[in-house]
Amino acid sequence: MSTPTAIEIAAQVRSGSQSATAALESSLSDIAERDRELHSFLHLTEDRARAQAAAVDAVVAAGNDPGPLAGVPIALKDNMCTRGAPTTCSSKMLEGWKPPYDATVVSRLEAAGALVVGKTNLDEFAMGSSTENSAFGPTRNPHDPSRVPGGSSGGSAAAVGAGLVPVSLGSDTGGSIRQPASLCGVVGVKPTYGAVSRYGLIAFASSLDQIGPFATTVGDAALVLDAISGHDPLDATSIPAAIPTVSSALTNGVAGKRIGIIDELMGEGIDEDVLRQTELAAEAFRSAGATVERVSIPATIYGLAAYYLIAPAEASSNLARYDGVRYGARVDGGNVEAMNIATRTAGFGDEVKRRIMLGTYALSSGYYDAYYGKAQRVRSLIAAEFATAYEQFDLLLSPTSPSTAFELGAKSDPMALYMCDVCTIPSNLVGHPAMSVPFGSGDDGLPIGVQILAPMLHEPAMFAAAAVLEAAQKGSS
Amino acid sequence: MSELSDGWEMVIGLEVHVELATKSKLFCGCSNSFGDQPNTNVCPTCLGLPGSLPVVNAQAVQYAMTLGRAIGCTVSPSVFARKNYFYPDMPKDYQTTQYDQPTNEDGSLELPDGTVIGIERAHIEEDTGKSTHLGGGGRIHDATATLVDYNRAGVPLVEVVTRPELTSADEARAYVAELRDILIATGVSDARMEEGSMRVDANVSVRPTGDAELRTRCEIKNINSLRSLGRAINYEARRHVALYEAGEAPSQETRHWDEDGGRSTSGRSKEDADDYRYFACPDLPPLAPTPAELAAIDEAMPVLPGRRRSALASAAGVSMAETSLAVERGLDTFALDAIAAGGQGISVMKHVDQNLADGVGVMTAESFAALVALEADGALSATQVKTVLYEMVASGGQPADIAASMGFEAMDNSELESLLDQLIADNPDEWARFAEGDSKVQGFFVGQIMKATQGKADGKIVNQLMSAKAKA
Amino acid sequence: MTKRITADEVTHVATLARLRVADDELVMFTEQLAAVLETASALEALDLDGVEPMAQPYALTNVLREDVVTPSLDPTEVLAMAPAAEDGRFRVPPALGDAQ
Ligand SMILES: [Mg+2]
Ligand SMILES: [Zn+2]
């Protein structure tokens, strides 16, 4: 696609060769023209973006530095609060709600000169892997509109995959950035837990959620990540230390690095073409001077089970506040309890209800130890095994998604959809960074991404490896 | 004093919610102030808006640990938990509190009479908003709608939970009064029950005297004063006894105290299986006080009411209970200084309790001690002492000078004696009754002499003279 | 061994979560929850003795803020969000009214 990258746009705007306003209008017209079919956006924030573009242009005109993302149009998953602009989580529950505040990432993006053009579709409250669970209709895959873009950040992935915006933000609780990145053929990054502020990100599962970028290039993803990461005093789980920058590490390569392919994620349940591309990625690393070997991390197979207890448990508590009292939808009832029940029953879709009930069950008296308590211990077990693996390896490699993009409606059984996250979940459980990098395509011609995993705060090495795969792709295509 | 019919005893446990005297709320920067316009001290965090996050107020933790140390608790690493239940006053529909790892555990509080009440825990949690029930005269049962103000939502609380060890309404009141004194002394809370910054829930049950087993308890909420606390406990305990004696039993429930009606009414029953689904709040890292922090808290701890009472009791030669008022009025240091300056302990305490309710003004402890000495010597009558005392409180000065300037001089005993002889001669019947041991007429004689001397006579001396004459 | 979740238990958790599950949905939800919990039963085989639960992936302690008052929201903006408001407050149905 001919769409300019974020790095190119920012360079032009900063040098004055293109205005931020022009960059914005180009993106807005692409969206107007091509998003009707994809439905990656739920709402546009044109006024805000135009005001911001004018401000950036004024800074340039005054001879000052408008920031590293100057004039770069960016889309936000619609679970990040934007002051005065709709923020719905793709739920009827929040239809029409306009937050009175901005998420920290929004402030940081704008401080860096970026233009927030709109809010993208997602599975309701980020619960899903296909963006079909949106109360406002599904998003379609830009590579084949009969197929899903993945999820839950499907709108943000599709918008970048379609070239409507060069970059976007998603949130990743169990793979919700990496899996749709893989399915839409873009780069998607889940940073270290605590590297990017969650303040203003509408919580799904607080101990797993992380915001991260989508981009068409590894460099663009790095540019955005550097702009949004760093300590935020408004988020008590934000890491109170300097977060290493990644843009400066892109050319470090993998020579001499030890990279492990996770054995447990290279067999049953993963499509042949996906396995093939992962092996080819390993080959590319070897060619670039790394040693690549198989490594067994047995506890990863328990990740899915632990995740589907922990995430719903936290969600059941996080989503209690949607009770019809203070904001959002209300369905009346004769007393406050009846009103709560009517509101929640009408406002939430089935997948959200399923997870709320599952999480309520996992936390309820008599079941806590068997379910939630046990799952939290499994988390420690997985972390311990990863720690052991990282004694021998600098980075790990695996598929991102077990398959390429599937047809809309193909996976109606919840459990089948849950399996989509099997490769991505372990990183959320242990809080480590991981990213998906496009690496060729499947037998159906659809994009395939491979996943690079790194220890806590080792994003620079992860990005350097991603750049190696990107370069290998360019060389082969 | 038992309020129950014979054969029954009360078992009371108290949960006291204390609002901490911080400037801002527990998890956000909104003002922690009472009485502002509704919904003016609210932000995304304390309104529970989607995407908002909590960050713990350092001062709230400091106050909680201070209170914990003041009541002898072990202060340990602690974890914030979510207590999940739906309640319109509670913006997130869970309360952030502490569950299995509270900041403070295992303390005790000594009452003025020496009784020691065990404290189970004192944990940090957030307050809820406030509901106003429309229609039905503001009563929840007949309301047509509820209006909610979230100014109080997120105000930091410490919930101090006793063991079920209190045995009477009086003891419960004494416990709450003592806790209030400690809160004020440490500056942890203004502890104003009438403003709700200190709220008491009482868990009440009864059992046959001497039984070890605990019976079904009811939790009485909405107690707004020490007076209500006593009334509510006695009412509830008697209600239980009446039920048992009628062959019935109370059911475990939350009840509301109706101060006007003088009764408790049934609230939410616990039958609908409360299941709070506690789990560690994933938004809040644990607290881990360092030994240095705890040492600093102990270092900065003011002398607490209990220790102040015992110091004063031993210096003044009175019981602990007799020092309560002086300590409550903050006059214990003054009293100790006066005693150290030679003031007689019991007299010092008498004046502090009876004549110094409004404080000591500009009076020094030394001059006060001198006044007490003059009184003991009989140089001034009780009435004169009071007059001089008030003058010293108002304007300072030395008691001898003030007494002189007011023309107060001790009356000669012989002068008093002749006055008394005259009285006896004028009232032979009354004197005869006194001589036969009817002490009721003593006041008559003293009064007459005071009248004749315009209060200059020392009542004590008059009494001595009368006794001597009656025996003669 | 944990037992299979029953329809009654689903009804109970729905009640705790303030959701109403219609009769025809109950079978579906029970089946689906049972299927997820079935995979969770894989965890039963694990020996987790001495393994500490992990509540947060990046272990921090004592993350505190100074006791400083910061600006609150404009009450007009706050109440504009409310489904119903009156007299500066959020209005909700009575606590003890008839359910209908
Ligand atoms: Mg409590
Ligand atoms: Zn607030």
Side-chain angles (χ1 to χ4, degrees):
Chain A
M1 264 165 251
S2 59
T3 320
T5 65
I7 289 175
E8 288 161 0
I9 294 171
Q12 289 164 2
V13 170
R14 294 173 91 173
S15 70
S17 65
Q18 187 195 200
S19 71
T21 303
L24 172 65
E25 295 305 332
S26 158
S27 175
L28 287 175
S29 73
D30 283 351
I31 294 167
E33 213 171 291
R34 293 165 50 208
D35 199 46
R36 208 163 310 167
E37 182 183 25
L38 296 179
H39 192 227
S40 56
F41 282 89
L42 293 177
H43 3 264
L44 296 179
T45 48
E46 294 159 286
D47 292 348
R48 178 173 180 149
R50 287 193 173 110
Q52 168 76 356
V56 169
D57 288 334
V59 171
V60 174
N64 295 320
D65 182 4
L69 288 170
V72 175
I74 187 164
L76 306 179
K77 188 179 184 178
D78 201 28
N79 60 353
M80 296 170 209
C81 287
T82 41
R83 183 177 183 116
T87 302
T88 66
C89 282
S90 289
S91 179
K92 281 189 268 176
M93 192 61 92
L94 285 175
E95 193 168 6
W97 182 60
K98 292 176 180 172
Y101 75 110
D102 278 328
T104 295
V105 288
V106 175
S107 313
R108 292 208 172 163
L109 285 173
E110 290 191 338
L115 318 175
V116 174
V117 298
K119 309 295 288 291
T120 60
N121 202 7
L122 63 150
D123 288 299
E124 184 177 2
F125 283 101
M127 297 176 184
S129 305
S130 66
T131 316
E132 293 169 289
N133 293 333
S134 166
F136 310 118
T139 295
R140 291 168 183 274
N141 191 304
H143 296 268
D144 177 352
S146 73
R147 293 176 188 258
V148 302
S152 64
S153 312
S156 283
V160 172
L164 307 181
V165 280
V167 286
S168 64
L169 294 187
S171 67
D172 190 314
T173 306
S176 281
I177 291 173
R178 290 160 287 161
Q179 185 258 13
S182 174
L183 270 50
C184 291
V186 299
V187 176
V189 185
K190 184 203 91 75
T192 296
Y193 184 84
V196 178
S197 172
R198 293 185 297 116
Y199 187 77
L201 169 68
I202 298 181
F204 162 16
S206 314
S207 76
L208 305 167
D209 297 341
Q210 253 320 264
I211 291 173
F214 288 98
T216 55
T217 68
V218 173
D220 274 7
L223 185 70
V224 174
L225 181 59
D226 283 341
I228 60 173
S229 62
H231 180 243
D232 179 8
L234 298 177
D235 175 359
T237 62
S238 163
I239 296 170
I243 305 297
T245 58
V246 287
S247 294
S248 54
L250 293 178
T251 54
N252 288 356
V254 292
K257 297 283 183 196
R258 304 156 304 167
I259 298 173
I261 306 178
I262 303 174
D263 234 355
E264 285 73 13
L265 302 178
M266 290 298 287
E268 208 189 328
I270 313 291
D271 286 355
E272 282 303 325
D273 49 0
V274 175
L275 293 175
R276 179 193 69 220
Q277 291 309 118
T278 310
E279 294 289 5
L280 286 173
E283 215 36 64
F285 283 139
R286 286 192 190 98
S287 306
T291 56
V292 185
E293 287 167 42
R294 288 292 187 107
V295 57
S296 175
I297 308 180
T300 53
I301 61 168
Y302 298 108
L304 195 75
Y307 174 85
Y308 277 98
L309 295 171
I310 292 166
E314 292 183 7
S316 72
S317 176
N318 285 331
L319 272 65
R321 68 190 66 192
Y322 305 103
D323 59 5
V325 174
R326 290 158 299 275
Y327 47 80
R330 172 187 291 188
V331 178
D332 264 316
N335 63 36
V336 72
E337 182 175 357
M339 183 275 281
N340 292 159
I341 293 171
T343 299
R344 292 167 62 78
T345 302
F348 290 138
D350 280 355
E351 182 59 27
V352 173
K353 288 179 187 168
R354 232 177 334 263
R355 298 209 197 183
I356 289 174
M357 290 192 285
L358 186 59
T360 303
Y361 185 71
L363 288 173
S364 66
S365 97
Y367 295 104
Y368 179 96
D369 289 338
Y371 290 123
Y372 186 74
K374 183 155 272 180
Q376 295 286 57
R377 288 173 209 278
V378 171
R379 252 177 125 160
S380 296
L381 195 68
I382 297 173
E385 290 191 8
F386 267 102
T388 305
Y390 282 126
E391 284 168 14
Q392 297 171 55
F393 297 97
D394 300 298
L395 298 167
L396 298 171
L397 174 67
S398 82
T400 304
S401 163
S403 71
T404 57
F406 45 91
E407 299 276 339
L408 267 80
K411 301 197 181 192
S412 57
D413 166 32
M415 216 41 234
L417 263 174
Y418 295 176
M419 295 301 294
C420 293
D421 299 330
V422 66
C423 301
T424 47
I425 278 171
S427 302
N428 299 86
L429 289 174
V430 298
H432 295 177
M435 67 192 287
S436 183
V437 187
F439 204 75
S441 43
D443 300 339
D444 47 15
L446 290 165
I448 286 176
V450 296
Q451 182 177 222
I452 304 168
L453 302 84
M456 211 72 114
L457 291 175
H458 283 230
E459 276 91 340
M462 180 175 85
F463 269 81
V468 166
L469 292 188
E470 184 176 55
Q473 273 291 289
K474 277 202 188 114
S476 72
S477 62
Chain B
M1 166 186 61
S2 173
E3 300 285 339
L4 295 182
S5 51
D6 278 354
W8 293 95
E9 65 182 19
M10 296 185 199
V11 181
I12 304 159
L14 297 178
E15 292 169 16
V16 181
H17 287 88
V18 175
E19 286 184 356
L20 304 180
T22 54
K23 296 186 195 75
S24 63
K25 292 186 180 182
L26 181 53
F27 297 124
C28 64
C30 291
S31 173
N32 170 16
S33 58
F34 177 79
D36 291 347
Q37 287 294 307
N39 295 305
T40 52
N41 299 328
V42 294
C43 73
T45 295
C46 60
L47 269 179
L49 294 189
S52 64
L53 290 173
V55 185
V56 181
N57 182 336
Q59 184 64 60
V61 176
Q62 181 81 11
Y63 279 150
M65 295 192 296
T66 301
L67 174 56
R69 295 299 299 157
I71 54 179
C73 287
T74 305
V75 181
S76 308
S78 57
V79 170
F80 285 101
R82 294 184 183 181
K83 180 181 184 181
N84 295 285
Y85 64 104
F86 285 85
Y87 189 46
D89 288 3
M90 205 166 53
K92 303 181 296 293
D93 288 297
Y94 59 78
Q95 183 191 31
T96 307
T97 178
Q98 296 177 327
Y99 179 54
D100 52 358
Q101 295 180 68
T103 293
N104 304 302
E105 278 180 293
D106 285 332
S108 65
L109 188 148
E110 188 177 349
L111 303 184
D113 70 0
T115 309
V116 175
I117 306 300
I119 309 267
E120 197 174 291
R121 53 193 280 139
H123 62 264
I124 308 172
E125 62 185 25
E126 58 182 337
D127 209 342
T128 62
K130 236 177 172 166
S131 282
T132 308
H133 303 290
L134 288 189
R139 292 158 62 111
I140 190 167
H141 291 273
D142 313 309
T144 54
T146 300
L147 301 184
V148 194
D149 166 19
Y150 293 103
N151 278 351
R152 200 180 67 182
V155 162
L157 299 176
V158 168
E159 179 177 343
V160 185
V161 182
T162 71
R163 300 190 190 284
E165 291 181 353
L166 297 122
T167 57
S168 72
D170 285 346
E171 208 166 75
R173 284 206 310 259
Y175 166 82
V176 173
E178 185 65 17
L179 183 60
R180 183 187 56 197
D181 289 351
I182 290 172
L183 291 167
I184 292 167
T186 50
V188 162
S189 173
D190 63 16
R192 292 192 188 123
M193 280 187 91
E194 68 283 3
E195 286 186 5
S197 60
M198 180 159 147
R199 301 193 292 275
V200 184
D201 299 337
N203 286 292
V204 179
S205 66
V206 300
R207 64 186 172 194
T209 307
D211 262 21
E213 137 221 54
L214 293 171
R215 295 198 174 191
T216 305
R217 65 190 157 88
C218 289
E219 185 179 10
I220 321 296
K221 291 193 176 283
N222 195 33
I223 298 170
N224 300 325
S225 67
L226 286 182
R227 181 181 129 85
S228 294
L229 176 65
R231 293 180 75 203
I233 288 171
N234 284 330
Y235 174 89
E236 187 63 18
R238 287 192 201 111
R239 193 180 70 85
H240 285 213
V241 169
L243 284 168
Y244 287 123
E245 287 182 342
E248 296 168 46
S251 51
Q252 186 171 334
E253 61 182 356
T254 300
R255 297 179 68 86
H256 288 269
W257 176 245
D258 169 9
E259 178 64 26
D260 297 336
R263 64 199 181 104
S264 65
T265 57
S266 181
R268 203 162 46 96
S269 105
K270 298 243 166 180
E271 280 160 29
D272 49 11
D274 283 321
D275 183 347
Y276 294 123
R277 290 158 283 134
Y278 285 101
F279 72 106
C281 178
D283 291 324
L284 292 167
L287 300 176
T290 64
E293 278 177 289
L294 295 180
I297 285 171
D298 288 345
E299 180 86 10
M301 188 72 72
V303 184
L304 296 173
R307 195 121 63 75
R308 287 160 59 186
R309 273 196 301 269
S310 66
L312 185 54
S314 70
V318 299
S319 72
M320 291 269 280
E322 287 171 297
T323 60
S324 295
L325 205 53
V327 169
E328 202 173 295
R329 287 180 180 162
L331 295 180
D332 50 320
T333 309
F334 181 83
L336 285 170
D337 290 349
I339 292 165
Q344 199 268 335
I346 292 175
S347 301
V348 165
M349 293 306 293
K350 181 191 74 184
H351 286 296
V352 165
D353 284 1
Q354 294 173 11
N355 303 325
L356 294 173
D358 298 325
V360 299
V362 294
M363 176 170 65
T364 65
E366 290 70 26
S367 62
F368 176 57
L371 177 66
V372 169
L374 282 179
E375 185 184 24
D377 294 346
L380 291 174
S381 74
T383 315
Q384 290 171 339
V385 166
K386 255 182 159 173
T387 309
V388 173
L389 180 64
Y390 293 146
E391 178 58 24
M392 288 164 68
V393 168
S395 317
Q398 289 303 316
D401 301 342
I402 296 169
S405 73
M406 289 180 163
F408 293 164
E409 274 157 55
M411 294 203 57
D412 201 283
N413 277 10
S414 61
E415 208 177 316
L416 275 180
E417 216 172 329
S418 58
L419 265 172
L420 183 59
D421 288 340
Q422 185 60 48
L423 262 178
I424 291 169
D426 294 345
N427 303 283
D429 292 352
E430 282 78 2
W431 180 251
R433 275 168 58 200
F434 176 77
E436 281 157 21
D438 183 354
S439 59
K440 271 182 270 176
V441 287
Q442 184 170 15
F444 165 77
F445 287 99
V446 176
Q448 290 296 315
I449 289 187
M450 288 297 173
K451 209 162 150 191
T453 62
Q454 288 155 346
K456 283 187 194 173
D458 187 328
K460 225 164 27 181
I461 309 254
V462 177
N463 287 338
Q464 280 164 13
L465 286 171
M466 283 175 69
S467 305
K469 278 193 187 297
K471 277 181 201 148
Chain C
M1 265 307 200
T2 45
K3 59 181 181 31
R4 196 173 191 279
I5 190 168
T6 64
D8 281 352
E9 287 174 316
V10 173
T11 305
H12 176 65
V13 292
T15 304
L16 285 176
R18 300 231 160 146
L19 293 169
R20 187 171 44 242
V21 176
D23 292 346
D24 57 329
E25 295 173 321
L26 185 58
V27 177
M28 170 190 81
F29 279 131
T30 307
E31 283 303 316
Q32 290 168 338
L33 296 195
V36 183
L37 292 166
E38 178 75 37
T39 65
S41 68
L43 303 183
E44 282 167 18
L46 288 172
D47 177 14
L48 296 166
D49 279 358
V51 178
E52 285 294 310
M54 180 195 275
Q56 283 156 328
Y58 195 96
L60 296 167
T61 51
N62 295 332
V63 179
L64 303 166
R65 44 170 275 272
E66 291 292 305
D67 183 21
V68 173
V69 175
T70 54
S72 295
L73 291 170
D74 176 354
T76 329
E77 193 174 15
V78 167
L79 292 162
M81 291 188 293
E86 184 177 326
D87 198 18
R89 298 164 168 93
F90 293 81
R91 184 187 165 108
V92 294
L96 300 173
D98 283 337
Q100 292 315 303

